[in-house]
Every structure is written in C-alpha cells, then in structure tokens.
Amino acid sequence: MENRTCCNHQLPEGYVPEHHKEANTAYDHFLITSETLSLDKACNLVRSDSAGAISTFEGTTRNTFNGQRVIRLEYDAYQPLAKTEWYKIVQEARAKYHILGTSMHHRIGRVDVGQTSVIIAVSSAHRADAISAVHFLIDSLKVRLPIWKKELLDDGTNSWKQNESIDLDAHQPISH
C-alpha cells in the first residue's frame, strides 16, 4: 500500500482527511438557545480521534463597560439567517485552516454577569489551525451574524450594541 503525507502525517492510499471536507451539519454544530451553555458539550461535539487539538473561546458577561456598571445583557437573534450565515463562515474557515469540527453555541435572552453568552470550539490535527480558526470564527460571528446585544446598566439606562468593525482579511491561512 502506497503512503502519502498530509500535515506531516503518513496516510494510507485513498484516505481523505476529514479536514478537507465541506462544512456539514454532521461535524459543524450550531446552536442558539435561551438555556445555559456548556463548554464540555461544545467540546464533545468536535472531539475526534484524529484531533490533536481542541481550541475554545468562551465569552462571558463582564460587570463593567466603559467605566459603567453592567447589570446584565440581553441577546436577540434572527436564527434562520444566523444559521445560514454561520455555515458560510465555517466554509471560509475550512478554506483557510485544516479543521475537523466546529461548534458555535450562543445564548439569547437574559445573560447575567458572569454567565456565558457564546462558545466556539474547533478541533484540528494541529493546535495552530484550531487556535487560528477559533479567532477567525469569533471575529466573523461578531461582524456578520444577526445577533444583537442590549446592555443594561445600573443607572437604569440600556443600549443596543452595534456589531463590531473588524478587519476579517487580517486572518491569514496557515500553510502546511
């Protein structure tokens, strides 16, 4: 049997590494929920015997913003469009990085200080791809997904926050 290499690994003839496949709901997971998020659940969805790394981002509600005390956040989303756009973003990440699985879980509704509002988990054969893909995915989510955040402050005021302006072109593919 002839061997070939991919990512510095010897692979049997005819083997196609998982990280070269298209975005797919079998290994790219999307969830918007009002329930508490679990980092363990998000990681377990991307776990693979082929993975040498699982990288994560967990965004939480902090108690201050621009010197003002934050009481809580409230999120809303247009879920059908968010899901469609998320899978486009994942496909872009797959074109840049060798990744096995992705998971994006986002809360809607009330998210108190200290609670998790978003989790991104990515598995890959190598840590550099997983770490870079997580960074790309969270930045892309912030710019492109129709998920809105309202910040409620201790002085009784509140405001809806606009999506961030981030240069997504700064995310460069990793060469193998």
Side-chain angles (χ1 to χ4, degrees):
M1 178 182 296
E2 180 182 326
N3 285 335
R4 58 193 177 93
T5 61
C6 175
C7 306
N8 301 320
H9 300 279
Q10 294 295 316
L11 302 174
E13 184 179 347
Y15 177 78
V16 178
E18 294 176 73
H19 61 251
H20 290 300
K21 296 179 182 174
E22 301 276 323
N24 186 302
T25 57
Y27 41 83
D28 295 308
H29 305 277
F30 174 89
L31 174 69
I32 293 181
T33 181
S34 60
E35 302 297 319
T36 300
L37 301 180
S38 165
L39 185 60
D40 286 340
K41 287 180 183 176
C43 288
N44 286 336
L45 288 169
V46 302
R47 198 167 300 283
S48 166
D49 289 344
S50 300
I54 295 176
S55 184
T56 64
F57 173 83
E58 183 174 6
T60 59
T61 302
R62 64 179 174 265
N63 63 0
T64 60
F65 181 75
N66 285 340
Q68 295 184 287
R69 186 164 164 74
V70 174
I71 301 300
R72 71 175 178 272
L73 302 177
E74 293 179 2
Y75 287 91
D76 199 1
Y78 181 55
Q79 293 187 45
L81 182 58
K83 185 174 186 176
T84 300
E85 190 64 21
W86 177 251
Y87 284 109
K88 289 178 186 176
I89 293 167
V90 168
Q91 189 59 46
E92 292 170 25
R94 287 186 171 283
K96 290 177 177 284
Y97 312 107
H98 291 181
I99 55 181
L100 298 168
T102 66
S103 183
M104 191 288 290
H105 295 179
H106 205 297
R107 287 273 301 269
I108 55 172
R110 180 182 177 139
V111 183
D112 291 327
V113 169
Q115 292 184 331
T116 301
S117 48
V118 62
I119 294 172
I120 304 254
V122 174
S123 62
S124 179
H126 306 286
R127 70 182 176 274
D129 286 292
I131 292 166
S132 295
V134 165
H135 190 189
F136 173 78
L137 291 170
I138 191 62
D139 281 358
S140 297
L141 176 154
K142 291 284 196 177
V143 171
R144 294 171 51 184
L145 290 194
I147 299 175
W148 305 281
K149 172 174 70 174
K150 182 165 69 170
E151 208 165 52
L152 292 92
L153 305 174
D154 71 344
D155 65 2
T157 62
N158 64 70
S159 63
W160 287 98
K161 298 297 185 179
Q162 292 188 352
N163 287 348
E164 294 183 34
S165 176
I166 298 170
D167 180 12
L168 296 177
D169 291 332
H171 294 276
Q172 296 299 314
I174 294 187
S175 61
H176 292 275

